[in-house]
Amino acid sequence: MKELRELVERGGLPILAIMTLAVVLYSRTFRLFFALTLRWRRIRAQIGGPRSLRAQAARVDFQRLRLDLEEEFESERTSLTALIAAAPLLGLLGTVSGMTKTFETLGGPAAEKSMENLARGISEVLVATEAGLTVAIPGLVLVFLAHRILRRCSAMLIRLERETPGSS
């Protein structure tokens, strides 16, 4: 807890917004991963193993299963990409805030023109920028990985649909 307080002191108020955004972004991203995984397991259970595939083919609507997976992903993708885009912008807000404080320090009376105040302002700039990028980059990678999982599952369902006689 002490480290978080120090981070907020060093990075300014935008750090609080970035931390809140990170919690929302990563909880929704992991929820998407779990939802896709759970849905894929249900699909695999519905299809059955290789022996029962032909017997199950008449009851399996591969296209509907594929659309269900894609809907699961698409329902979250838009909001996740908006959160990912917001993280560096909040970092930029912290950068502007820190630069403003730095220039105010330089423009103030001679007593306020200390190197400590200058360093504090520059530190706020760097911490806020780093925090925004630290949240956005892994978030982007996670959404890409979820999309990759979706595409692999979808391709497998398409292949099974083509290989299975009598499927819809």
Side-chain angles (χ1 to χ4, degrees):
M1 194 64 167
K2 180 182 175 184
E3 291 84 11
L4 290 177
R5 187 174 47 238
E6 288 176 4
L7 183 63
V8 171
E9 288 173 3
R10 287 181 36 226
L13 287 178
I15 292 293
L16 289 174
I18 292 170
M19 289 174 10
T20 303
L21 183 138
V23 169
V24 172
L25 172 65
Y26 292 127
S27 65
R28 290 184 74 167
T29 302
F30 287 118
R31 187 179 70 191
L32 174 64
F33 269 105
F34 291 132
L36 285 175
T37 302
L38 183 62
R39 188 169 297 249
W40 178 240
R41 285 182 182 168
R42 285 183 190 153
I43 289 170
R44 288 180 63 190
Q46 183 179 354
I47 293 172
R51 292 182 192 153
S52 65
L53 185 59
R54 290 183 191 269
Q56 298 279 336
R59 295 187 308 157
V60 175
D61 182 354
F62 290 101
Q63 187 175 13
R64 182 71 230 154
L65 295 174
R66 203 171 70 247
L67 289 174
D68 286 347
L69 275 172
E70 289 172 3
E71 284 176 16
E72 187 78 43
F73 178 76
E74 288 299 322
S75 68
E76 286 291 324
R77 183 185 60 83
T78 303
S79 59
L80 290 175
T81 53
L83 290 170
I84 290 167
L89 293 175
L90 287 170
L92 181 60
L93 176 64
T95 300
V96 171
S97 170
M99 290 302 291
T100 301
K101 288 178 185 176
T102 301
F103 288 127
E104 285 174 357
T105 299
L106 293 175
E112 291 183 18
K113 291 184 183 180
S114 71
M115 290 302 285
E116 182 181 327
N117 288 337
L118 181 63
R120 191 176 304 126
I122 292 172
S123 174
E124 182 175 328
V125 167
L126 296 175
V127 168
T129 303
E130 179 185 29
L133 293 173
T134 300
V135 169
I137 293 170
L140 187 62
V141 170
L142 289 173
V143 170
F144 169 77
L145 291 175
H147 186 259
R148 191 170 155 186
I149 290 168
L150 171 72
R151 290 292 149 224
R152 284 184 176 175
C153 294
S154 186
M156 186 178 293
L157 287 171
I158 290 170
R159 192 185 79 234
L160 286 171
E161 185 176 23
R162 288 181 184 156
E163 293 174 357
T164 304
S167 66
S168 51

